[in-house]
């Protein structure tokens, strides 16, 4: 019985969509809210694409987001904006920050 109660409690926890329906389905509805999400990747993987879609969805849903990178130049997020036709500038300084560990500064 305790196990079933724990499962029911977990199902009630609010989750946030990743912006990728298939991944949300695999995760049981998305990523748990109230947690910091760290995405570590190997060179050449598409984690930047996932991160961009996730940040876009979070900002559209009224949440805050921060993108810290050590391997993307500052122009990366502008290219993401153009490709996905998403205006990050309206969120910057209020809800979104890009931290450039590539050059050791902020965008």
């Amino acid at each position: 019985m305790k196990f079933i109660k724990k499962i029911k409690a977990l199902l009630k926890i609010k989750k946030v969509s990743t912006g990728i329906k298939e991944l949300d389905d695999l995760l049981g509805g998305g990523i748990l809210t109230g947690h910091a999400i760290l995405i570590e990747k190997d060179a050449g993987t598409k984690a930047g694409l996932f991160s961009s879609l996730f940040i876009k969805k979070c900002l559209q849903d009224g949440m805050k987001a921060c993108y810290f990178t050590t391997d993307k130049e500052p122009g990366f997020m502008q290219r993401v904006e153009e490709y996905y036709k998403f205006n990050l500038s309206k969120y910057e300084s209020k809800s979104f920050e890009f931290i450039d560990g590539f050059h050791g500064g902020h965008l």
Side-chain angles (χ1 to χ4, degrees):
M1 265 329 231
K2 286 183 181 180
F3 178 74
I4 293 173
K5 285 182 181 180
K6 286 182 182 179
I7 296 296
K8 285 182 179 180
L10 285 173
L11 293 174
K12 291 180 183 178
I13 295 174
K14 187 172 189 238
K15 296 182 179 181
V16 62
S17 172
T18 62
I20 304 168
K21 184 190 177 323
E22 294 82 3
L23 182 56
D24 288 344
D25 292 344
L26 287 171
L27 296 171
I31 296 173
L32 297 176
T33 59
H35 295 80
I37 306 297
L38 172 67
I39 300 166
E40 186 176 3
K41 67 172 191 83
D42 292 328
T45 61
K46 297 293 183 188
L49 173 63
F50 166 75
S51 300
S52 301
L53 292 171
F54 183 54
I55 286 171
K56 177 182 177 182
K57 181 67 175 145
C58 287
L59 294 173
Q60 288 174 330
D61 290 349
M63 292 178 253
K64 294 182 179 184
C66 175
Y67 190 100
F68 174 82
T69 182
T70 58
D71 69 348
K72 299 285 185 222
E73 73 282 355
F76 170 74
M77 290 310 285
Q78 282 86 7
R79 288 194 305 277
V80 167
E81 281 184 279
E82 292 167 10
Y83 186 80
Y84 292 107
K85 296 173 179 45
F86 181 66
N87 183 5
L88 279 172
S89 59
K90 72 179 183 179
Y91 297 102
E92 285 185 277
S93 78
K94 290 189 291 185
S95 301
F96 174 71
E97 186 167 359
F98 180 93
I99 301 174
D100 175 17
F102 187 74
H103 292 100
H106 288 68
L107 176 68

